[in-house]
Amino acid sequence: MSQQTWDAVDAYFSEALVGHDPALEAARAAADEAGLPPIAVAPNQGKLLHLLALTQGARRILEVGTLGGYSAIWLARALPADGELITLEIDPTHAGVARGNLARAGLDKIAEVRLGRAADSLAALVESGAEPFDLVFIDADKPSNPEYFTWALKLTRPGSLIIVDNVVRGGAVADADSTDPATVGTRRLHELIAAEPRVSGTSIQTVGTKGYDGFTLVRVQH
């Protein structure tokens, strides 16, 4: 199948099951206007995150990698009125766009964008004794995936979900000889998951407007 077909199918599903959403469309437009890279999750993928958070009954969500706040809007909308989403972003421009988008979506009271290196922000959350998160979405620099996963384990509880995006690397994840840092980091992530008795996980390949990719879903067991 061609990319054109994948795009058409994604467009059909998004129109049928997501529909017109002014806040999400404004978030994409603001990100484009600010020159952010067009790498946010697709609408149907954003809704999957939303449904997973709802199914989880999440009250606290942690996101690693904010970009323009598109996925943060989807996740924050799954929270109750007294819920909390903390999203981590290293780029000041990205963080500013995300804050504006979350505010326009009416979510700035429950969603906080923290600026800085994600590893530093994660360490600070652990050191402060942060209450465990019910769901963690990791979608940042791929070489650091093993580190982010290790921190996520410290910030979750039995029953929490950890979702890692962009794990297929166009198929390169199957190449044990790859020297690409993103692929090496993603393979190391899966080695950690496989060796960690406290979790159970699986990875799913996807196609669509984001090309050939996939995500890893992990449940903290105990």
Side-chain angles (χ1 to χ4, degrees):
M1 290 293 180
S2 67
Q3 182 65 55
Q4 183 178 8
T5 300
W6 298 345
D7 290 349
V9 172
D10 261 9
Y12 166 72
F13 285 142
S14 294
E15 182 177 348
L17 301 176
V18 177
H20 176 59
D21 190 306
L24 290 169
E25 291 162 12
R28 281 197 179 276
D32 290 343
E33 185 177 348
L36 273 60
I39 56 174
V41 300
N44 53 343
Q45 295 169 343
K47 190 162 188 180
L48 174 61
L49 292 173
H50 176 77
L51 292 173
L52 286 170
L54 283 175
T55 302
Q56 180 72 352
R59 302 185 67 84
R60 284 174 53 78
I61 297 175
L62 174 63
E63 179 181 53
V64 183
T66 312
L67 195 62
Y70 184 82
S71 54
I73 291 173
W74 274 113
L75 289 166
R77 282 178 169 178
L79 291 168
D82 60 347
E84 180 180 26
L85 179 142
I86 296 175
T87 180
L88 311 179
E89 176 56 51
I90 193 171
D91 187 293
T93 299
H94 297 182
V97 171
R99 289 181 180 123
N101 284 334
L102 288 163
R104 278 189 295 273
L107 298 165
D108 50 322
K109 298 295 189 297
I110 62 171
E112 176 191 356
V113 181
R114 295 194 180 182
L115 181 63
R117 284 185 68 248
D120 295 338
S121 297
L122 291 164
L125 283 166
V126 171
E127 290 166 8
S128 69
E131 183 182 343
F133 292 91
D134 305 302
L135 186 149
V136 179
F137 178 48
I138 299 174
D139 188 13
D141 61 305
K142 310 312 171 185
S144 299
N145 274 341
E147 184 176 11
Y148 298 151
F149 173 72
T150 300
W151 283 115
L153 277 181
K154 299 177 186 293
L155 289 162
T156 48
R157 56 167 179 78
S160 293
L161 294 181
I162 301 171
I163 305 163
V164 188
D165 203 9
N166 308 128
V167 298
V168 171
R169 315 308 308 158
V173 71
D175 181 4
D177 297 322
S178 175
T179 58
D180 170 64
T183 301
V184 171
T186 301
R187 286 181 62 88
R188 179 58 183 150
L189 163 72
H190 289 87
E191 291 166 4
L192 289 175
I193 294 170
E196 177 53 69
R198 292 173 292 173
V199 306
S200 180
T202 191
S203 296
I204 301 296
Q205 300 180 78
T206 62
V207 296
T209 59
K210 311 308 291 184
Y212 171 43
D213 209 335
F215 64 92
T216 294
L217 177 65
V218 176
R219 184 177 188 272
V220 181
Q221 302 286 70
H222 57 78

